[in-house]
């Protein structure tokens, strides 16, 4: 049975998991030699520390800190982005859809969904223009007004509408796990992706976001080749428990509860390659930005990737 067949259960069939009718196939690669995790380093532009920096200055600081790529939001002035790329030599491996929070594809309002779909299309065109291979999409938001099944159905409909453009441009729509109360298990995430039966829809795996309700290495081994891009993020369950949920992110790389050796091992097992993109939500205000970028972010990413 092919991967796309054994998990093609989707919106109407996912309840079968709870009923015990699905035997989920997990990876078993313990006998496979594990190569080094030779990832390129990129930085999510929206998490760049606040300050009076131009776009070019941000690119230059990232290049100086040892990054090879940058992940901007969709909708920036393309000429300015391309100029910064040319001057610094930084690549753009991925684009973040800039409308998925303000205008989610799960909204009950067709006009809101239309704006969100336009934001996804803009990101796809930007990615093609810059040579990026993925766009990051938060597919929808579950809340008291918008139910889980509505988010599932509406988001899939909108993504399906965008697949022909993604195929034309050669860019994968990569759905990210984030605290939107949606797709809360790796098995469901795999089913959601497989429902599309398209190479132009994959998964964008955020390592830190999973830490609040799971273990990244387990997600990685289940999602396998569906993972098209990864965000590198740290999380402390201890700070979460003692100081509050969002405080869990206020920790530097390798100082939280991420089991980096096991996470890296899992990435090696599934054969992940390409970019690891930093999305650091925390910076000590007393640390100068250039030192923070070079030593705390870039330097520690080197240590993580070499585990």
């Amino acid at each position: 049975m092919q991967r796309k067949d054994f998990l093609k259960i989707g919106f109407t069939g996912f309840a079968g998991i709870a009923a015990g009718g699905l035997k989920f196939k997990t990876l078993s690669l313990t006998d496979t030699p594990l190569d080094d995790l030779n990832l390129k380093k990129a930085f999510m532009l929206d998490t760049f520390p606040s300050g009076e920096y131009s776009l070019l200055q941000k690119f230059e600081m990232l290049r100086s800190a040892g990054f090879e790529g940058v992940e901007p939001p969709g909708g920036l002035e393309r000429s300015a982005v391309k100029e910064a790329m040319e001057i610094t030599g930084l690549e753009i491996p991925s684009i973040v859809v800039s409308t998925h929070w303000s205008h989610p594809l799960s909204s009950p309002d067709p006009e809101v969904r239309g704006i969100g779909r336009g934001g996804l299309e803009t990101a796809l065109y930007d990615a093609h223009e810059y040579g990026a291979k993925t766009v990051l999409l938060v597919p929808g938001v579950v809340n008291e007004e918008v139910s889980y099944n509505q988010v599932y159905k509406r988001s899939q409909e909108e993504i399906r509408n965008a697949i022909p453009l993604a195929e034309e441009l050669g860019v994968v729509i990569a759905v990210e796990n984030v605290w939107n109360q949606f797709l809360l298990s790796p098995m469901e995430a795999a089913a959601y992706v497989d429902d599309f039966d398209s190479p132009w829809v994959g998964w964008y795996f955020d390592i830190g976001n999973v830490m609040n309700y799971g273990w990244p290495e387990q997600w990685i081994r289940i999602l396998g080749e569906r993972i098209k891009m990864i965000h590198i993020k740290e999380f402390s369950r201890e700070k979460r428990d003692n100081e509050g949920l969002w405080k869990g992110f206020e920790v530097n790389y390798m100082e939280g509860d991420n089991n980096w050796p096991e996470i890296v091992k899992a990435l090696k097992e599934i054969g992940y390659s390409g970019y690891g993109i930093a999305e650091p939500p925390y910076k000590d205000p007393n640390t100068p930005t250039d030192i923070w970028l070079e030593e705390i972010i870039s330097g520690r990413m080197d240590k993580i990737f070499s585990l």
Side-chain angles (χ1 to χ4, degrees), residues 27-35 221 265 268-270:
L27 295 175
S28 179
L29 301 178
T30 54
D31 296 331
T32 302
L34 303 181
D35 297 327
R221 292 186 172 105
K265 180 181 178 183
K268 291 176 181 177
E269 286 176 1
I270 69 168

Side-chain angles (χ1 to χ4, degrees), residues 154-292:
R154 289 173 186 157
S155 65
Q156 286 207 335
E157 287 176 350
E158 297 295 347
I159 291 172
R160 284 194 175 93
N161 289 334
I163 288 176
L165 179 61
E167 181 175 9
E168 176 187 340
L169 299 177
V171 179
V172 173
I173 301 169
V175 176
E176 190 191 37
N177 57 298
V178 69
W179 292 356
N180 53 344
Q181 310 306 318
F182 186 56
L183 303 178
L184 301 177
S185 82
M187 293 172 68
E188 184 185 9
Y192 183 88
V193 170
D194 288 350
D195 273 349
F196 294 100
D197 193 20
S198 171
W200 303 107
V201 180
W203 194 260
Y204 198 123
F205 186 63
D206 188 303
I207 292 169
N209 286 347
V210 166
M211 291 287 293
N212 187 48
Y213 48 81
W215 287 264
E217 55 271 25
Q218 296 178 14
W219 280 67
I220 291 167
R221 292 186 172 105
I222 290 173
L223 288 170
E225 65 183 16
R226 301 172 186 85
I227 297 176
K228 304 304 179 184
M229 193 66 69
I230 58 173
H231 266 162
I232 309 298
K233 189 188 294 179
E234 187 75 49
F235 189 81
S236 168
R237 296 189 179 105
E238 181 179 1
K239 288 180 71 69
R240 173 201 64 189
D241 294 343
N242 295 334
E243 303 177 35
L245 177 60
W246 289 94
K247 291 292 184 178
F249 285 128
E250 293 189 6
V251 61
N252 291 321
Y253 289 156
M254 307 184 80
E255 295 179 11
D257 290 313
N258 298 44
N259 185 350
W260 287 113
E262 192 63 26
I263 291 168
V264 168
K265 180 181 178 183
L267 289 170
K268 291 176 181 177
E269 286 176 1
I270 69 168
Y272 182 80
S273 62
Y275 269 94
I277 302 181
E279 186 192 355
Y282 169 73
K283 174 186 175 295
D284 185 335
N286 296 316
T287 304
T289 296
D290 57 346
I291 294 176
W292 177 77

Side-chain angles (χ1 to χ4, degrees), residues 58-93:
K58 292 177 181 179
F59 273 55
E60 289 174 335
M61 292 174 72
L62 290 170
R63 169 55 80 185
S64 179
F67 290 95
E68 297 168 271
V70 61
E71 181 181 54
L76 296 181
E77 184 181 344
R78 289 178 186 162
S79 60
V81 173
K82 294 178 75 172
E83 180 183 23
M85 291 176 66
E86 183 176 354
I87 291 173
T88 63
L90 287 180
E91 297 178 329
I92 293 183

